[in-house]
Amino acid sequence: RFPMLNKTRCVLALGVSVGAYYAGLYVKEQCDRANALKTLPEQVGRRVCVVGAGPSGLTSARWLIDAGFSPILFERSDSLGGNWVFRKQNTENSRSSCYKSLRAITFKKDLSFSEFPMPFYYPPLPKWHQILSYLKEYARNFGVTPRVLVNHKVLSVAPSADGTWKVNVEDLENSKEKEFEFDFVVVANGLYSKPRDVIFPGIETFTGTQTHTADYKDPSPFKNKKVVVVGMGESGEQISLEVAKLATKTVMSTERVHRYEESDMQEIPAMAPRISRVSGNTIYFSDDSSTTADAIIYATGYTFQLPFLNLGALNIDHKVEPYSRISLYKHIFSPELPTLAFVGFVSINNMEGSLHRIIETQSQWVTGVFKGEYKLPEKEEMKQSVLEWEKETSESVYNPMRVNNNLYISELK
Protein backbone atom coordinates (compact mmCIF):
# COMPACT_ATOMS: atom_id res chain seq x y z
CA ARG A 1 0.00 0.00 0.00
CA PHE A 2 2.89 2.34 0.78
CA PRO A 3 5.74 1.02 -1.45
CA MET A 4 8.07 3.96 -0.76
CA LEU A 5 7.65 3.50 2.99
CA ASN A 6 8.43 -0.21 2.71
CA LYS A 7 11.49 0.56 0.60
CA THR A 8 12.67 3.09 3.19
CA ARG A 9 12.22 0.52 5.94
CA CYS A 10 14.30 -1.99 3.96
CA VAL A 11 17.08 0.53 3.44
CA LEU A 12 17.03 1.47 7.14
CA ALA A 13 17.06 -2.19 8.15
CA LEU A 14 19.96 -2.85 5.83
CA GLY A 15 21.83 0.14 7.24
CA VAL A 16 21.26 -1.03 10.80
CA SER A 17 22.39 -4.56 9.86
CA VAL A 18 25.58 -3.32 8.20
CA GLY A 19 26.26 -0.97 11.10
CA ALA A 20 25.73 -3.77 13.60
CA TYR A 21 28.04 -6.04 11.58
CA TYR A 22 30.91 -3.56 11.60
CA ALA A 23 30.31 -2.67 15.25
CA GLY A 24 30.53 -6.35 16.13
CA LEU A 25 33.62 -6.70 13.99
CA TYR A 26 35.25 -3.76 15.77
CA VAL A 27 34.55 -5.27 19.20
CA LYS A 28 35.95 -8.62 18.07
CA GLU A 29 39.10 -7.00 16.69
CA GLN A 30 39.60 -5.10 19.95
CA CYS A 31 39.30 -8.35 21.91
CA ASP A 32 41.64 -10.15 19.51
CA ARG A 33 44.15 -7.29 19.80
CA ALA A 34 44.12 -7.47 23.60
CA ASN A 35 44.49 -11.24 23.44
CA ALA A 36 47.43 -11.01 21.01
CA LEU A 37 49.31 -8.77 23.45
CA LYS A 38 48.31 -10.82 26.48
CA THR A 39 49.53 -14.09 25.01
CA LEU A 40 52.70 -12.62 23.46
CA PRO A 41 54.99 -13.90 26.26
CA GLU A 42 53.75 -17.42 25.55
CA GLN A 43 54.84 -17.26 21.90
CA VAL A 44 58.60 -17.52 22.55
CA GLY A 45 60.44 -18.26 19.31
CA ARG A 46 57.58 -16.86 17.19
CA ARG A 47 57.30 -13.25 18.38
CA VAL A 48 57.88 -10.71 15.61
CA CYS A 49 57.95 -6.93 15.91
CA VAL A 50 56.84 -5.24 12.69
CA VAL A 51 57.59 -1.51 12.50
CA GLY A 52 54.97 0.18 10.33
CA ALA A 53 51.50 -0.81 9.11
CA GLY A 54 51.67 0.34 5.51
CA PRO A 55 51.65 -2.12 2.59
CA SER A 56 55.09 -3.53 3.55
CA GLY A 57 54.13 -4.12 7.16
CA LEU A 58 50.73 -5.58 6.31
CA THR A 59 51.97 -8.13 3.81
CA SER A 60 54.88 -9.05 6.09
CA ALA A 61 52.41 -9.79 8.88
CA ARG A 62 50.07 -11.68 6.54
CA TRP A 63 52.78 -14.21 5.61
CA LEU A 64 54.18 -14.41 9.13
CA ILE A 65 50.74 -15.29 10.49
CA ASP A 66 50.33 -17.87 7.75
CA ALA A 67 53.57 -19.53 8.91
CA GLY A 68 52.53 -19.65 12.57
CA PHE A 69 54.36 -16.57 13.86
CA SER A 70 52.88 -14.01 16.23
CA PRO A 71 53.56 -10.54 14.77
CA ILE A 72 52.64 -7.23 16.40
CA LEU A 73 52.61 -4.15 14.15
CA PHE A 74 53.46 -0.79 15.68
CA GLU A 75 52.09 2.13 13.66
CA ARG A 76 52.99 5.67 14.69
CA SER A 77 50.02 7.28 12.92
CA ASP A 78 46.31 6.91 13.62
CA SER A 79 45.58 4.45 10.78
CA LEU A 80 47.05 1.54 8.89
CA GLY A 81 47.66 2.09 5.18
CA GLY A 82 50.89 4.09 5.07
CA ASN A 83 51.07 6.70 2.32
CA TRP A 84 47.63 5.76 0.99
CA VAL A 85 45.97 7.54 3.92
CA PHE A 86 44.84 11.04 3.00
CA ARG A 87 45.09 13.66 5.72
CA LYS A 88 43.97 17.24 5.33
CA GLN A 89 46.99 18.26 7.35
CA ASN A 90 50.05 16.33 8.41
CA THR A 91 51.14 16.21 12.03
CA GLU A 92 54.39 15.10 13.61
CA ASN A 93 53.18 11.55 14.17
CA SER A 94 50.56 11.17 11.44
CA ARG A 95 52.10 12.03 8.10
CA SER A 96 51.31 11.01 4.55
CA SER A 97 52.33 12.26 1.12
CA CYS A 98 48.88 11.37 -0.23
CA TYR A 99 47.02 14.28 -1.83
CA LYS A 100 43.33 14.63 -2.65
CA SER A 101 43.49 13.74 -6.36
CA LEU A 102 46.14 11.02 -6.06
CA ARG A 103 45.62 7.90 -8.10
CA ALA A 104 47.97 4.99 -8.78
CA ILE A 105 50.21 4.98 -11.82
CA THR A 106 50.44 1.19 -11.57
CA PHE A 107 47.59 -0.99 -12.84
CA LYS A 108 45.39 -2.60 -10.21
CA LYS A 109 46.37 -6.13 -11.25
CA ASP A 110 49.96 -5.27 -10.32
CA LEU A 111 48.91 -3.58 -7.08
CA SER A 112 46.96 -6.65 -5.96
CA PHE A 113 48.58 -9.08 -3.56
CA SER A 114 48.39 -12.79 -4.32
CA GLU A 115 45.21 -14.64 -3.35
CA PHE A 116 43.43 -11.30 -2.85
CA PRO A 117 42.73 -9.40 -6.09
CA MET A 118 41.35 -5.88 -6.09
CA PRO A 119 37.58 -5.63 -6.74
CA PHE A 120 36.56 -5.99 -10.39
CA TYR A 121 34.73 -2.66 -10.28
CA TYR A 122 37.88 -0.70 -9.43
CA PRO A 123 39.20 1.36 -12.36
CA PRO A 124 42.46 0.22 -13.98
CA LEU A 125 44.33 2.95 -12.06
CA PRO A 126 42.66 3.10 -8.62
CA LYS A 127 42.38 6.25 -6.53
CA TRP A 128 43.97 6.55 -3.10
CA HIS A 129 40.77 5.85 -1.16
CA GLN A 130 40.15 2.66 -3.15
CA ILE A 131 43.66 1.40 -2.45
CA LEU A 132 43.28 2.26 1.24
CA SER A 133 39.97 0.37 1.37
CA TYR A 134 41.65 -2.59 -0.33
CA LEU A 135 44.50 -2.61 2.19
CA LYS A 136 42.06 -2.53 5.10
CA GLU A 137 40.10 -5.47 3.69
CA TYR A 138 43.35 -7.32 2.99
CA ALA A 139 44.43 -6.85 6.62
CA ARG A 140 41.03 -7.92 7.91
CA ASN A 141 40.84 -10.96 5.62
CA PHE A 142 44.18 -12.38 6.74
CA GLY A 143 43.81 -11.60 10.45
CA VAL A 144 46.32 -8.75 10.49
CA THR A 145 44.04 -5.96 11.74
CA PRO A 146 43.82 -7.13 15.39
CA ARG A 147 47.61 -7.14 15.49
CA VAL A 148 47.99 -3.48 14.49
CA LEU A 149 48.60 -1.00 17.29
CA VAL A 150 48.01 2.49 15.90
CA ASN A 151 49.29 5.59 17.70
CA HIS A 152 52.25 3.54 18.90
CA LYS A 153 55.66 5.06 18.17
CA VAL A 154 58.70 2.79 18.25
CA LEU A 155 61.40 4.55 20.27
CA SER A 156 64.20 1.99 20.16
CA VAL A 157 64.98 -1.46 18.83
CA ALA A 158 68.10 -3.11 20.24
CA PRO A 159 69.48 -6.67 20.34
CA SER A 160 69.87 -8.42 23.69
CA ALA A 161 72.69 -10.70 24.74
CA ASP A 162 70.38 -13.73 24.60
CA GLY A 163 69.56 -13.13 20.92
CA THR A 164 66.15 -11.53 21.46
CA TRP A 165 65.21 -7.92 20.76
CA LYS A 166 64.16 -5.25 23.24
CA VAL A 167 61.63 -2.87 21.71
CA ASN A 168 60.58 0.31 23.51
CA VAL A 169 57.32 1.88 22.33
CA GLU A 170 55.41 5.01 23.28
CA ASP A 171 51.62 4.84 23.39
CA LEU A 172 50.87 8.29 21.97
CA GLU A 173 47.30 8.33 23.27
CA ASN A 174 48.35 8.30 26.91
CA SER A 175 52.09 9.19 26.60
CA LYS A 176 53.12 5.95 28.29
CA GLU A 177 56.21 3.96 27.36
CA LYS A 178 56.19 0.18 27.18
CA GLU A 179 58.92 -2.41 26.68
CA PHE A 180 58.42 -5.59 24.68
CA GLU A 181 60.60 -8.60 23.94
CA PHE A 182 60.63 -10.14 20.46
CA ASP A 183 62.49 -12.91 18.70
CA PHE A 184 62.53 -11.21 15.29
CA VAL A 185 62.16 -7.68 13.93
CA VAL A 186 60.86 -6.55 10.54
CA VAL A 187 61.46 -2.88 9.69
CA ALA A 188 58.74 -1.86 7.24
CA ASN A 189 58.24 1.86 7.70
CA GLY A 190 59.58 2.76 4.27
CA LEU A 191 62.77 3.89 2.59
CA TYR A 192 61.35 7.34 1.87
CA SER A 193 59.95 8.64 5.13
CA LYS A 194 61.60 12.05 5.42
CA PRO A 195 61.26 14.85 2.82
CA ARG A 196 64.59 15.72 1.24
CA ASP A 197 65.71 19.28 1.89
CA VAL A 198 67.32 21.23 -0.95
CA ILE A 199 69.07 24.50 -0.18
CA PHE A 200 69.74 27.03 -2.95
CA PRO A 201 72.02 30.05 -2.56
CA GLY A 202 69.90 32.97 -1.40
CA ILE A 203 66.83 30.90 -0.58
CA GLU A 204 66.62 32.65 2.81
CA THR A 205 65.66 35.84 0.92
CA PHE A 206 62.69 34.23 -0.83
CA THR A 207 59.52 36.12 0.04
CA GLY A 208 56.95 33.51 -1.02
CA THR A 209 55.81 30.16 0.38
CA GLN A 210 57.79 26.92 0.25
CA THR A 211 56.12 23.50 0.29
CA HIS A 212 57.39 19.96 -0.16
CA THR A 213 55.15 17.56 -2.07
CA ALA A 214 54.96 15.55 1.17
CA ASP A 215 52.71 18.32 2.51
CA TYR A 216 50.85 19.10 -0.72
CA LYS A 217 47.13 18.30 -0.47
CA ASP A 218 45.37 20.21 -3.27
CA PRO A 219 46.11 23.09 -5.69
CA SER A 220 43.83 25.70 -4.10
CA PRO A 221 46.62 27.52 -2.15
CA PHE A 222 48.34 28.25 -5.47
CA LYS A 223 45.40 29.86 -7.26
CA ASN A 224 46.43 32.99 -9.20
CA LYS A 225 50.05 32.58 -8.13
CA LYS A 226 53.33 32.11 -9.95
CA VAL A 227 54.72 28.73 -8.97
CA VAL A 228 58.06 27.00 -9.46
CA VAL A 229 58.09 23.22 -9.02
CA VAL A 230 61.55 21.80 -8.30
CA GLY A 231 62.01 18.24 -9.55
CA MET A 232 60.48 16.11 -12.26
CA GLY A 233 59.66 12.82 -10.63
CA GLU A 234 56.26 11.16 -10.84
CA SER A 235 54.71 13.28 -8.09
CA GLY A 236 56.34 16.46 -9.42
CA GLU A 237 54.82 15.96 -12.87
CA GLN A 238 51.34 15.17 -11.55
CA ILE A 239 51.28 18.05 -9.09
CA SER A 240 52.69 20.62 -11.53
CA LEU A 241 49.97 19.80 -14.07
CA GLU A 242 47.32 20.09 -11.36
CA VAL A 243 48.69 23.39 -10.04
CA ALA A 244 48.98 24.83 -13.56
CA LYS A 245 45.18 24.74 -13.91
CA LEU A 246 44.82 27.37 -11.17
CA ALA A 247 48.15 29.21 -11.14
CA THR A 248 48.84 32.20 -13.36
CA LYS A 249 52.16 30.60 -14.29
CA THR A 250 53.88 27.31 -13.49
CA VAL A 251 57.52 26.48 -14.13
CA MET A 252 59.13 23.07 -13.65
CA SER A 253 62.82 23.19 -12.77
CA THR A 254 64.78 20.01 -13.47
CA GLU A 255 68.29 18.88 -14.32
CA ARG A 256 66.88 17.09 -17.37
CA VAL A 257 66.33 20.45 -19.07
CA HIS A 258 69.27 22.55 -20.27
CA ARG A 259 67.54 25.80 -21.23
CA TYR A 260 64.37 27.68 -20.35
CA GLU A 261 61.40 26.71 -22.54
CA GLU A 262 58.24 28.79 -22.28
CA SER A 263 54.87 27.10 -22.72
CA ASP A 264 52.26 28.36 -25.17
CA MET A 265 49.43 27.25 -22.86
CA GLN A 266 48.84 28.37 -19.29
CA GLU A 267 47.84 24.88 -18.21
CA ILE A 268 51.13 23.39 -19.45
CA PRO A 269 54.11 24.23 -17.21
CA ALA A 270 57.13 25.99 -18.66
CA MET A 271 60.38 24.02 -18.39
CA ALA A 272 63.58 25.34 -16.87
CA PRO A 273 66.99 23.92 -15.90
CA ARG A 274 68.11 23.61 -12.30
CA ILE A 275 67.95 26.61 -9.98
CA SER A 276 71.29 28.38 -9.52
CA ARG A 277 70.27 31.00 -6.96
CA VAL A 278 67.38 32.94 -5.44
CA SER A 279 67.07 36.65 -4.75
CA GLY A 280 63.85 37.81 -3.13
CA ASN A 281 61.02 36.56 -5.29
CA THR A 282 63.25 36.06 -8.34
CA ILE A 283 64.42 32.56 -9.23
CA TYR A 284 67.55 32.29 -11.39
CA PHE A 285 68.32 29.18 -13.44
CA SER A 286 71.60 27.65 -14.60
CA ASP A 287 71.16 29.01 -18.15
CA ASP A 288 71.00 32.56 -16.70
CA SER A 289 67.26 32.84 -17.32
CA SER A 290 64.94 33.81 -14.47
CA THR A 291 61.34 34.07 -13.37
CA THR A 292 59.47 35.61 -10.48
CA ALA A 293 57.57 33.34 -8.12
CA ASP A 294 55.07 33.49 -5.28
CA ALA A 295 55.59 29.87 -4.28
CA ILE A 296 58.08 27.02 -4.57
CA ILE A 297 57.00 23.38 -4.47
CA TYR A 298 59.79 20.91 -3.81
CA ALA A 299 59.32 17.56 -5.58
CA THR A 300 62.80 16.58 -4.47
CA GLY A 301 62.11 13.14 -3.09
CA TYR A 302 62.80 11.65 0.30
CA THR A 303 65.47 10.22 2.53
CA PHE A 304 64.95 7.46 5.07
CA GLN A 305 65.00 7.92 8.81
CA LEU A 306 65.28 5.12 11.33
CA PRO A 307 65.73 6.96 14.64
CA PHE A 308 64.79 3.86 16.61
CA LEU A 309 67.76 1.88 15.23
CA ASN A 310 71.42 2.60 15.94
CA LEU A 311 72.62 1.45 12.52
CA GLY A 312 76.25 2.23 13.33
CA ALA A 313 76.21 0.03 16.40
CA LEU A 314 74.54 -2.70 14.33
CA ASN A 315 77.34 -2.45 11.71
CA ILE A 316 74.87 -1.48 8.99
CA ASP A 317 76.39 1.01 6.56
CA HIS A 318 74.00 3.74 5.47
CA LYS A 319 73.96 7.11 3.73
CA VAL A 320 71.24 9.63 2.99
CA GLU A 321 72.93 11.82 0.38
CA PRO A 322 72.84 12.18 -2.54
CA TYR A 323 70.45 9.23 -2.40
CA SER A 324 69.13 7.19 0.49
CA ARG A 325 71.05 3.96 0.69
CA ILE A 326 71.29 1.21 3.27
CA SER A 327 73.72 -1.68 2.75
CA LEU A 328 71.89 -4.98 3.18
CA TYR A 329 72.10 -8.42 1.63
CA LYS A 330 69.51 -8.51 -1.17
CA HIS A 331 68.24 -5.19 0.31
CA ILE A 332 66.74 -7.17 3.19
CA PHE A 333 69.19 -8.69 5.68
CA SER A 334 72.20 -7.47 7.62
CA PRO A 335 74.94 -10.13 7.43
CA GLU A 336 75.52 -9.60 11.15
CA LEU A 337 71.89 -9.90 12.28
CA PRO A 338 69.78 -12.55 10.50
CA THR A 339 66.86 -12.01 12.89
CA LEU A 340 66.49 -8.40 11.66
CA ALA A 341 64.90 -7.85 8.24
CA PHE A 342 63.97 -4.80 6.16
CA VAL A 343 60.96 -4.98 3.82
CA GLY A 344 60.20 -2.31 1.23
CA PHE A 345 63.65 -0.71 1.24
CA VAL A 346 64.00 -0.70 -2.54
CA SER A 347 63.04 1.67 -5.33
CA ILE A 348 61.57 0.75 -8.72
CA ASN A 349 60.36 2.38 -11.89
CA ASN A 350 56.60 2.19 -11.41
CA MET A 351 56.08 2.05 -15.16
CA GLU A 352 58.08 -1.20 -15.31
CA GLY A 353 56.84 -3.07 -12.28
CA SER A 354 55.00 -3.08 -8.98
CA LEU A 355 56.43 -2.41 -5.54
CA HIS A 356 53.58 -4.44 -4.03
CA ARG A 357 54.78 -7.54 -5.89
CA ILE A 358 58.31 -6.95 -4.63
CA ILE A 359 57.40 -6.42 -0.98
CA GLU A 360 55.20 -9.52 -1.02
CA THR A 361 58.08 -11.60 -2.39
CA GLN A 362 60.40 -10.07 0.22
CA SER A 363 57.86 -10.88 2.95
CA GLN A 364 57.62 -14.51 1.83
CA TRP A 365 61.41 -14.81 1.76
CA VAL A 366 61.81 -13.23 5.20
CA THR A 367 59.17 -15.57 6.62
CA GLY A 368 60.97 -18.56 5.10
CA VAL A 369 64.30 -17.45 6.60
CA PHE A 370 62.79 -16.88 10.05
CA LYS A 371 61.09 -20.27 9.88
CA GLY A 372 64.27 -22.03 8.77
CA GLU A 373 62.93 -23.11 5.37
CA TYR A 374 65.42 -20.86 3.55
CA LYS A 375 69.06 -20.71 4.57
CA LEU A 376 71.02 -17.50 4.17
CA PRO A 377 74.59 -17.73 2.84
CA GLU A 378 77.49 -17.62 5.29
CA LYS A 379 78.14 -14.21 6.86
CA GLU A 380 81.32 -13.55 4.89
CA GLU A 381 79.60 -14.40 1.61
CA MET A 382 76.80 -11.96 2.37
CA LYS A 383 79.31 -9.28 3.32
CA GLN A 384 81.14 -9.75 0.04
CA SER A 385 77.86 -9.46 -1.88
CA VAL A 386 77.08 -6.19 -0.08
CA LEU A 387 80.58 -4.82 -0.79
CA GLU A 388 80.24 -5.63 -4.48
CA TRP A 389 76.88 -3.83 -4.61
CA GLU A 390 78.37 -0.80 -2.87
CA LYS A 391 81.24 -0.71 -5.37
CA GLU A 392 78.89 -1.00 -8.35
CA THR A 393 76.65 1.83 -7.17
CA SER A 394 79.17 4.15 -5.48
CA GLU A 395 79.66 6.37 -8.54
CA SER A 396 76.26 5.88 -10.14
CA VAL A 397 74.15 8.94 -10.85
CA TYR A 398 71.04 6.83 -10.35
CA ASN A 399 69.31 5.79 -7.15
CA PRO A 400 71.39 2.87 -5.79
CA MET A 401 68.32 1.33 -4.16
CA ARG A 402 66.55 0.92 -7.50
CA VAL A 403 66.10 -2.65 -8.66
CA ASN A 404 64.89 -4.32 -11.82
CA ASN A 405 61.45 -5.60 -10.89
CA ASN A 406 61.41 -9.05 -12.55
CA LEU A 407 65.12 -9.77 -12.11
CA TYR A 408 65.03 -8.93 -8.40
CA ILE A 409 61.94 -11.06 -7.76
CA SER A 410 63.53 -14.01 -9.58
CA GLU A 411 66.62 -13.71 -7.35
CA LEU A 412 64.47 -14.11 -4.25
CA LYS A 413 62.48 -17.09 -5.49
Side-chain angles (χ1 to χ4, degrees):
R1 189 176 179 183
F2 299 104
M4 289 302 296
L5 183 58
N6 290 334
K7 187 178 294 186
T8 301
R9 285 174 175 168
C10 288
V11 171
L12 287 173
L14 178 62
V16 171
S17 299
V18 171
Y21 167 76
Y22 279 104
L25 197 62
Y26 174 78
V27 172
K28 181 180 183 301
E29 289 174 350
Q30 291 293 91
C31 292
D32 289 345
R33 183 174 290 113
N35 189 55
L37 287 173
K38 183 179 180 180
T39 60
L40 194 61
E42 303 170 11
Q43 309 296 320
V44 175
R46 296 178 292 168
R47 303 165 299 179
V48 187
C49 166
V50 180
V51 184
S56 296
L58 296 177
T59 192
S60 294
R62 176 258 192 271
W63 289 104
L64 286 164
I65 292 171
D66 188 67
F69 288 93
S70 182
I72 298 295
L73 295 81
F74 296 108
E75 171 57 47
R76 184 175 68 171
S77 73
D78 55 5
S79 172
L80 63 79
N83 271 328
W84 294 110
V85 179
F86 173 74
R87 294 181 174 86
K88 292 183 178 180
Q89 186 172 359
N90 286 332
T91 64
E92 179 183 354
N93 292 311
S94 290
R95 298 188 60 83
S96 169
S97 57
C98 180
Y99 48 94
K100 189 178 292 187
S101 63
L102 179 65
R103 68 166 62 239
I105 60 173
T106 303
F107 288 109
K108 69 176 182 180
K109 66 180 181 63
D110 295 318
L111 285 170
S112 297
F113 292 119
S114 62
E115 302 177 14
F116 201 78
M118 285 192 174
F120 71 93
Y121 53 83
Y122 274 22
L125 298 175
K127 295 183 177 180
W128 66 266
H129 61 86
Q130 293 170 317
I131 298 174
L132 177 61
S133 177
Y134 168 78
L135 291 174
K136 288 182 176 181
E137 287 302 317
Y138 175 82
R140 184 173 290 120
N141 185 74
F142 291 107
V144 177
T145 306
R147 296 181 171 275
V148 178
L149 297 181
V150 297
N151 295 312
H152 277 68
K153 179 181 180 180
V154 176
L155 301 176
S156 65
V157 175
S160 301
D162 62 359
T164 60
W165 292 86
K166 296 295 183 185
V167 179
N168 286 291
V169 180
E170 180 184 0
D171 184 341
L172 297 173
E173 290 187 332
N174 55 33
S175 300
K176 290 185 178 179
E177 292 188 21
K178 309 173 186 176
E179 184 178 84
F180 297 87
E181 183 178 84
F182 290 94
D183 304 293
F184 305 92
V185 174
V186 176
V187 180
N189 65 322
L191 180 62
Y192 304 117
S193 53
K194 179 183 178 183
R196 182 190 300 279
D197 295 324
V198 178
I199 306 298
F200 300 109
I203 191 62
E204 70 279 359
T205 68
F206 183 62
T207 55
T209 61
Q210 300 180 64
T211 308
H212 193 279
T213 52
D215 295 307
Y216 173 88
K217 298 303 174 185
D218 65 75
S220 59
F222 306 99
K223 185 176 182 180
N224 299 326
K225 292 186 177 181
K226 298 176 182 178
V227 182
V228 172
V229 180
V230 182
M232 197 177 175
E234 292 154 358
S235 60
E237 290 184 18
Q238 290 186 18
I239 289 173
S240 64
L241 289 171
E242 186 170 85
V243 167
K245 295 177 182 178
L246 296 181
T248 55
K249 183 178 182 179
T250 306
V251 178
M252 285 193 71
S253 169
T254 172
E255 293 185 355
R256 303 180 197 176
V257 174
H258 300 293
R259 63 184 180 84
Y260 190 93
E261 299 174 8
E262 192 66 74
S263 172
D264 295 330
M265 299 175 62
Q266 179 182 326
E267 294 186 2
I268 302 297
M271 303 300 295
R274 61 179 177 82
I275 295 175
S276 59
R277 63 188 177 91
V278 179
S279 179
N281 68 338
T282 303
I283 311 294
Y284 294 91
F285 303 104
S286 60
D287 64 345
D288 294 328
S289 62
S290 65
T291 187
T292 57
D294 304 304
I296 299 176
I297 300 176
Y298 295 97
T300 48
Y302 299 81
T303 63
F304 70 86
Q305 56 177 4
L306 302 169
F308 51 86
L309 274 178
N310 187 335
L311 295 176
L314 298 177
N315 294 316
I316 299 176
D317 185 39
H318 65 287
K319 298 177 182 177
V320 294
E321 296 293 347
Y323 288 102
S324 299
R325 60 183 294 155
I326 180 168
S327 299
L328 302 166
Y329 178 69
K330 299 297 184 185
H331 299 292
I332 300 174
F333 284 102
S334 163
E336 304 281 351
L337 299 160
T339 57
L340 170 67
F342 294 75
V343 173
F345 282 70
V346 294
S347 172
I348 66 166
N349 183 336
N350 284 307
M351 304 305 291
E352 298 176 356
S354 166
L355 186 59
H356 281 196
R357 292 283 174 86
I358 284 181
I359 61 178
E360 181 167 52
T361 305
Q362 288 182 325
S363 300
Q364 293 167 337
W365 200 52
V366 167
T367 299
V369 171
F370 286 174
K371 195 175 181 180
E373 292 179 347
Y374 304 145
K375 181 175 173 58
L376 291 173
E378 295 298 323
K379 181 167 67 174
E380 292 305 317
E381 185 179 340
M382 288 193 287
K383 283 184 175 180
Q384 185 59 35
S385 175
V386 171
L387 287 173
E388 290 174 0
W389 170 78
E390 287 180 338
K391 185 177 180 180
E392 290 174 2
T393 59
S394 61
E395 297 180 1
S396 173
V397 297
Y398 300 103
N399 187 343
M401 304 301 292
R402 176 163 288 190
V403 298
N404 178 288
N405 186 81
N406 294 329
L407 180 61
Y408 179 71
I409 287 177
S410 67
E411 289 178 356
L412 297 182
K413 287 188 173 181

